Amino acid sequence: MKRKPELFKKVLVANRGEIAVRVSRALKEMGIECVCVYSEADRLSSHIAFADEAYSIGPAPATQSYLNIERIIETAKKSGCQAVHPGYGFLAESHEFARACEDQGIVFIGPGSKSIEQMGFKTQARKIMKGSGVPVIPGGEEPLSDEAEAITLAEKFGYPVIIKASAGGGGKGMRIVRAAGEMKSAFKTARNEAESAFGNPAIYIEKYIDRPRHIEVQILADNYGSMVYLGERECSIQRRYQKLIEESPSPAIDAKKRKLLGETALKAAEAAGYRNAGTVEFILDQSGRFYFLEVNTRLQVEHPVTELTTGIDLVKEQIRIASGFPLGIKQKDIKPEGSAIECRIYAEDPSNDFLPSLGKISRLRNPAGPWVRMENYVYEGYDVPVYYDPLIAKLITWGQTRPEALARMSRALEEYVIEGIETTIPFHIWVIRDENFRKGDFSTSYIDEHYTGKPTDEHRKVPSDVALIAAAINRVESTAVPKKGSTGTTNRWKDTSRREGVS
Amino acid sequence: MEGYVKKGRRVVIYYASINGRDAKIKIEKKNDMYTIEIDDRSYVVDRQHLEGSGALSLVVDNKCYEASVTRSDGALLVCISGEKFEVTLKDELEYRSASPSARHTGLESEEIRAPMPGVVVCVEVEEGQRVSAGTAAVIVEAMKMQNEISAPAGGTVKQILVREGDVVDSRQVLVVIDRG
């Protein structure tokens, strides 16, 4: 689209949670009015408090609210927005949504609908990359018609193989198959998941690379053919293909490989006719060879680690590019510094197979201090809703070196208090203290190989006697939690000491 | 009534277990300070309630900690600096009455429960079907992920209590397995 470069006056953020807050902050800093939308389940979500205007867009289920294209476009027009920022998830990779925006004269802050469509359909993306000389993993590029076809292909590539959703990402609809006998159930669950998560049951199969690392490259491309890469992110700490910890730079990449990866990412972006911010994902096998995985045509959850090492605000860059400004930075000026790491705080119980943990946050203390960044939307008293992604916050730290960034992360995690629900904080504390992780010796199988859900003594810093002291005092005094404003500490002691026989 | 009188002061004793370790705790309060003995070690503890939060500020022999304690199924869950501990405490009476054999339940049926709230996507077993431990019984979708809920032990499916599309609560019984 040709338009004279001029910053938008008003932008709608078509998302919720921490990313809606993140985008609102960038808009405010740029002097752009921020419009947010919310479902009936999100009236008390804090992304509303960070916006200038808020519009209700329907019932709690995402399909009736945050995925309702018509309603969101109507809201953007009604509120006088010139552009829409989709965040990540929901409609961020919907080419229908991007096209609907284009048709209605609203700027979609992201790539064009055609790139999204091409890159979103993984089999098509692979074909384009293969044709442009970008290395890809051996695999069937056509969607599978049935289980028998899956078995034939699996035998051709050799087990293990992996089934993936053609329209998907984020681990939904993915299954590893190690023998023909496992194909039936994997085929079925992958299809079901693909259907329910993306509304498209198409799945495909490829050779599974054992113990790879997941490395991705952040790129920025303007509307006039200029492109840059902003270094890589290491995202190998994953569970069920959901990333939990990301860092930049990767401990497995040296300067020479970094340049090669960056240039390959730009080649991929060029092949896709890409513009705006995007991420080219690769997998790195144990011998150091890398293969194209996919292009994420949106802002990533883990974008802050790149922001901290490069000093570039990616959301503002997205908005500037979408406003029609040319890229203000050249490749030679991008010199990432230090080391940044992000821990994703999910409402999940790491001691119970990471099952979702729902409920009210009864106590919250966010970490702070030097080089600690919080991306957050929850507050004390907030009820985490069942309808959406369980990501409640992201904690990011920076250091001049990787050990310094890790020490800061460890310190920040120890300060972090979330009560009332289970979170991934204990998991992160465990990982940051783990010798393999500290040495940079890990792959995407790390959690399966090392994490049992139960912290061992070598990963603990708090003596167990202190826990016994806390438990004994709690029992001897009272089980009641003091209410706000109550002054009854002494009396409570008396009451319970009388009951328990201590005086 | 717990405890006994020692030099005019009450002392409470608990038998504790934490991460597979057993310990005996003696707790006594003097002049607003606690003296707590755990096995052969003695600690002087100053505790304050952080008003409004339910958390405890502990200064244990001048080392600082902040702890939260919650109750769950008879155990106390203690969280200190992001580390979690599960503690069970028994007073003298509870300790004496809990013989190890009393805990042994010769359960004849086993319930498969929903580990979290969600929607039943699919029931994978039928009544009367033989299953082994680990057999996927029900698939529940929560927060966009499908979770396979499998049989904790082998047996015969006695009863199926949910159907595809049902909304289930955490801990709701989905399937009953007869272990006979």
Side-chain angles (χ1 to χ4, degrees):
Chain A
M1 197 190 314
K2 292 271 187 297
R3 58 196 299 282
K4 215 174 118 217
E6 189 191 346
L7 268 191
F8 306 120
K9 299 254 180 317
K10 200 169 181 181
V11 170
L12 182 139
V13 183
N15 216 300
R16 66 177 299 283
E18 66 88 17
I19 193 60
V21 173
R22 165 73 187 92
V23 176
S24 300
R25 283 175 167 155
L27 291 169
K28 288 204 167 169
E29 288 175 24
M30 296 172 91
I32 299 171
E33 272 190 279
C34 171
V35 173
C36 80
V37 292
Y38 61 95
S39 75
E40 282 164 15
D42 266 346
R43 176 60 189 89
L44 293 174
S45 175
S46 66
H47 75 276
I48 294 176
F50 288 81
D52 296 310
E53 289 176 26
Y55 295 83
S56 166
I57 51 161
T63 47
Q64 295 171 56
S65 48
Y66 298 106
L67 291 171
N68 185 341
I69 293 178
E70 224 171 274
R71 191 75 190 267
I72 289 172
I73 293 207
E74 180 198 305
T75 307
K77 288 170 79 173
K78 185 169 74 183
S79 58
C81 288
Q82 292 124 357
V84 170
H85 195 299
Y88 56 71
F90 295 127
L91 294 171
E93 286 173 281
S94 160
H95 61 88
E96 285 102 345
F97 181 58
R99 183 156 305 126
C101 289
E102 288 159 9
D103 291 348
Q104 297 293 320
I106 294 165
V107 178
F108 175 85
I109 300 176
S113 58
K114 198 168 154 240
S115 301
I116 300 178
E117 185 170 13
Q118 283 179 340
M119 292 303 110
F121 222 67
K122 305 282 136 73
T123 51
Q124 215 173 326
R126 280 173 54 92
K127 254 187 218 160
I128 294 170
M129 293 309 149
K130 223 170 146 181
S132 311
V134 175
V136 299
I137 299 166
E141 288 166 14
E142 294 307 317
L144 295 168
S145 52
D146 56 24
E147 197 190 309
E149 191 193 348
I151 291 176
T152 313
L153 282 170
E155 271 156 17
K156 191 174 136 203
F157 308 140
Y159 286 98
V161 293
I162 183 161
I163 299 176
K164 294 183 176 178
S166 301
K172 274 102 196 169
M174 280 197 201
R175 289 290 182 277
I176 300 169
V177 183
R178 297 190 181 272
E182 296 172 15
M183 191 64 86
K184 192 175 175 193
S185 88
F187 190 86
K188 199 172 126 200
T189 48
R191 262 186 102 95
N192 285 347
E193 251 180 53
E195 168 90 72
S196 88
F198 313 112
N200 181 348
I203 51 177
Y204 69 101
I205 191 167
E206 67 187 25
K207 170 127 189 79
Y208 179 64
I209 308 230
D210 224 12
R211 304 186 78 246
R213 295 177 90 109
H214 178 121
I215 308 277
E216 59 185 31
V217 178
Q218 176 70 51
I219 58 157
L220 281 174
D222 67 15
N223 300 347
Y224 314 99
S226 288
M227 286 185 188
V228 291
Y229 61 87
L230 290 91
E232 80 283 2
R233 290 185 290 256
E234 160 81 65
C235 311
S236 300
I237 307 298
Q238 311 182 346
R239 177 197 158 265
R240 284 172 73 172
Y241 306 102
Q242 191 81 51
K243 296 164 189 164
L244 281 156
I245 299 179
E246 301 96 344
E247 57 181 314
S248 186
S250 162
I253 302 291
D254 59 20
K256 200 175 144 203
K257 188 152 279 169
R258 179 163 303 123
K259 188 159 185 273
L260 188 60
L261 268 170
E263 283 164 0
T264 309
L266 292 185
K267 203 195 278 180
E270 230 163 281
Y274 202 83
R275 59 171 201 256
N276 213 288
T279 294
V280 186
E281 296 192 332
F282 296 96
I283 72 172
L284 189 75
D285 72 13
Q286 285 173 70
S287 70
R289 254 195 309 263
F290 61 85
Y291 306 92
F292 169 80
L293 193 61
E294 61 183 52
V295 178
N296 292 131
T297 55
R298 55 170 157 85
L299 187 70
Q300 298 276 92
V301 175
E302 59 273 23
H303 73 277
V305 294
T306 301
E307 295 186 322
L308 293 191
T309 51
T310 60
I312 292 168
D313 185 321
L314 290 168
V315 178
K316 286 188 188 168
E317 288 302 324
Q318 284 191 296
I319 295 164
R320 273 192 208 106
I321 291 169
S323 297
F325 288 96
L327 266 183
I329 24 170
K330 300 245 175 327
Q331 191 64 54
K332 66 171 174 46
D333 301 325
I334 296 167
K335 296 188 185 84
E337 261 181 67
S339 181
I341 180 164
E342 171 181 278
C343 289
R344 296 192 188 188
I345 313 302
Y346 283 103
E348 291 178 343
D349 184 358
S351 69
N352 188 15
D353 204 24
F354 293 86
L355 288 175
S357 174
L358 301 159
K360 197 184 272 294
I361 294 176
S362 55
R363 182 171 175 233
L364 177 68
R365 183 179 63 201
N366 286 316
W371 287 279
V372 170
R373 171 169 166 183
M374 279 297 305
E375 295 291 335
N376 184 16
Y377 84 103
V378 300
Y379 52 87
E380 212 163 274
Y382 181 69
D383 236 318
V384 180
V386 61
Y387 305 97
Y388 315 111
D389 196 87
L391 182 72
I392 53 173
K394 303 181 310 204
L395 172 60
I396 311 105
T397 58
W398 182 91
Q400 287 189 325
T401 60
R402 186 171 186 264
E404 189 184 35
L406 296 188
R408 274 206 177 107
M409 179 57 79
S410 186
R411 182 271 290 172
L413 286 165
E414 287 165 33
E415 289 177 14
Y416 207 163
V417 177
I418 301 180
E419 282 171 25
I421 57 169
E422 298 297 328
T423 72
T424 47
I425 293 171
F427 164 82
H428 292 302
I429 290 178
W430 185 93
V431 174
I432 303 296
R433 289 180 191 166
D434 184 60
E435 202 44 41
N436 295 299
F437 181 77
R438 303 188 73 85
K439 282 193 299 206
D441 175 16
F442 52 84
S443 73
T444 54
S445 309
Y446 174 83
I447 293 178
D448 287 340
E449 286 170 3
H450 299 286
Y451 188 66
T452 59
K454 293 263 175 278
T456 44
D457 286 345
E458 63 191 295
H459 289 93
R460 285 198 185 276
K461 281 188 358 196
V462 177
S464 59
D465 275 7
V466 179
L468 290 175
I469 288 167
I473 290 178
N474 176 276
R475 168 141 180 196
V476 91
E477 292 195 344
S478 167
T479 55
V481 172
K483 288 212 175 68
K484 243 197 166 83
S486 91
T487 50
T489 352
T490 339
N491 288 337
R492 258 203 345 274
W493 164 251
K494 268 185 196 151
D495 293 345
T496 49
S497 59
R498 233 174 262 136
R499 184 163 52 73
E500 297 254 336
V502 185
S503 65
Chain B
M1 183 71 85
E2 287 181 3
Y4 60 88
V5 181
K6 179 186 140 197
K7 293 179 194 162
R9 290 192 192 95
R10 286 270 176 202
V11 177
V12 176
I13 290 181
Y14 292 120
Y15 295 88
S17 127
I18 181 167
N19 301 335
R21 170 192 156 208
D22 291 323
K24 188 176 173 185
I25 305 175
K26 251 194 242 178
I27 175 167
E28 190 180 342
K29 199 185 184 198
K30 302 179 205 172
N31 310 330
D32 244 25
M33 298 284 273
Y34 283 97
T35 302
I36 297 177
E37 271 177 44
I38 299 176
D39 295 330
D40 297 328
R41 287 200 61 180
S42 180
Y43 300 93
V44 176
V45 181
D46 174 4
R47 73 91 189 84
Q48 294 296 323
H49 290 276
L50 296 176
E51 203 60 35
S53 69
L56 286 172
S57 165
L58 298 175
V59 178
V60 180
D61 292 340
N62 300 101
K63 290 196 170 66
C64 319
Y65 302 95
E66 197 180 295
S68 78
V69 184
T70 49
R71 217 159 254 261
S72 156
D73 286 341
L76 292 168
L77 302 178
V78 181
C79 185
I80 302 167
S81 298
E83 293 182 23
K84 301 210 166 196
F85 299 86
E86 197 176 315
V87 181
T88 56
L89 293 181
K90 289 185 170 56
D91 60 23
E92 298 265 15
L93 198 70
E94 293 162 336
Y95 182 66
R96 287 204 193 98
S97 64
S99 67
S101 61
R103 253 180 263 122
H104 224 70
T105 53
L107 270 188
E108 283 171 0
S109 60
E110 187 87 45
E111 291 163 344
I112 304 180
R113 290 169 184 268
M116 70 277 167
V119 178
V120 176
V121 177
C122 175
V123 178
E124 301 266 280
V125 292
E126 289 169 9
E127 282 180 16
Q129 186 184 328
R130 294 283 305 168
V131 294
S132 43
T135 303
V138 180
I139 296 177
V140 174
E141 187 171 299
M143 288 172 155
K144 301 195 296 178
M145 291 300 284
Q146 294 202 356
N147 302 279
E148 271 187 12
I149 317 298
S150 38
T156 310
V157 177
K158 192 168 152 190
Q159 213 181 352
I160 293 171
L161 298 162
V162 290
R163 280 191 311 195
E164 198 178 307
D166 281 2
V167 175
V168 293
D169 268 335
S170 184
R171 306 283 303 144
Q172 183 174 334
V173 180
L174 308 173
V175 173
V176 181
I177 307 265
D178 197 334
R179 300 191 60 180

